[in-house]
Amino acid sequence: MSNDPVFILTRPQMGENIGAAARAMLNFGLTGLRLVAPRDGWPNPAAVATASGAAGRVLDPARVYPDLAAAVGDCAMTFATTARPRELTKPVYTPEAAVAEARAQIAAGNKVGFIFGPERAGLENSDIAQASAIVSVPVNPEFASLNLGQAVLLIAYEWGRQTAGAAPMRLEGAVTELATGIEVEKLADHYEERLEEAGYFFPPTKAPVMRQTLRSFWARMPLTRADVQTLHGALRQLMRKR
Amino acid sequence: MSNDPVFILTRPQMGENIGAAARAMLNFGLTGLRLVAPRDGWPNPAAVATASGAAGRVLDPARVYPDLAAAVGDCAMTFATTARPRELTKPVYTPEAAVAEARAQIAAGNKVGFIFGPERAGLENSDIAQASAIVSVPVNPEFASLNLGQAVLLIAYEWGRQTAGAAPMRLEGAVTELATGIEVEKLADHYEERLEEAGYFFPPTKAPVMRQTLRSFWARMPLTRADVQTLHGALRQLMRKR
């Protein structure tokens, strides 16, 4: 369904794993698959073979994007799946809490994405910096071995479990219209450009980390459309009157 | 742990699937594995290879039984996993309800087993007849494709999810130190002063609402101490280099 969450596979390597992810999703009725720069190109015969009955429903309509930013452009909230929360300062959700939050956001009209990393290395910090939050399965700290297909399965299962739940969804307060990924990205660009001109990213050796810190900050904030407009306006005014 | 549920694989075929089941279990701290008449005998090198780090903790202590009756002999309650509930004379549980029931039984001192069928055909009716109840994952009726390892994973995940129990819904990253109210207020002051100097609060009739909008914005954002320092620094730099 168009208002279900989308699952974004970032730089997936093996076609078999893309197919397995498609099968896992369709078990719980999910069909919104996006691919970021799949290693072996697209379409991928191995993915189709593994997906089997899920090929037509999930793989065929899947969209391919050159980078993660493009893939999450229309998402107001994104969850980056990681094996273990790392250094970045983002809220960390269990699958249960993430799906509950996703359902609330979707009920408020916002698009939600779950981002999965490549098989071996998982998401890079620069990927996670673009997400609103982190979702991590609480596994045995002495033995964590979930693969890509299993991570997709568990999130899809949680979606199915909570969606099937007879309990009516509880909505609190007024519906807030969150900004989309593209809107937040443009805002981040605007601030980064002005800070660049002001010599903020100094010394050059620290500049990449400083940029990533700021990107991560913007992605993490629950910005509404109105907030984004206010922040554009404030920056323009700061730069104008001197 | 000795009072955790045991997972019983009935006539498993591929060693790889036994190994995958062991890995799935250990992710959630479960180590009680029993095997009923594994097709390729026991021990099984392919199972060990797939189990990898879970071989020593789960496969080595696994017990092998000639038939299901022997394998569940000490269990007070058993759940037979099926793709679709068949034998209608038994209660049918979702994984969530089954694990909740299992936890209650275990708390009362009873041993509980989850029974899984062979890869291709699943459990036979004669197997299901020996179980106390049925557990079935509510999947898409038009596309049900869970394999043995996935079924084990989902039950183990449910066990982990419910056992984690009192864990907070939203885990905070270890490094997330939220800013205090005073720190956020000083940040809001800093921005308001510079915006005031830049003529942002105009026209005067709208100024109070604009100030309030900004105050409300800062208060609503989940700012960390590091965010606050970054935002002070960015503003200072924007104002300095012109």
Side-chain angles (χ1 to χ4, degrees), chain A residues 43-97:
Chain A
N44 181 325
V48 173
T50 305
S52 181
R57 293 287 307 282
V58 183
L59 293 189
D60 289 353
R63 278 183 278 173
V64 179
Y65 300 83
D67 54 41
L68 181 57
V72 299
D74 62 341
C75 293
M77 180 159 205
T78 51
F79 293 92
T81 58
T82 67
R84 213 159 299 174
R86 286 168 291 188
E87 66 216 75
L88 290 165
T89 321
K90 304 241 180 208
V92 180
Y93 290 74
T94 61
E96 180 173 9

Side-chain angles (χ1 to χ4, degrees), chain A residues 143, chain B residues 22-23 26 47-49 51-62:
Chain A
F143 186 82
Chain B
R23 289 176 75 89
L26 193 54
V48 173
S52 182
R57 291 289 306 282
V58 184
L59 293 188
D60 291 352

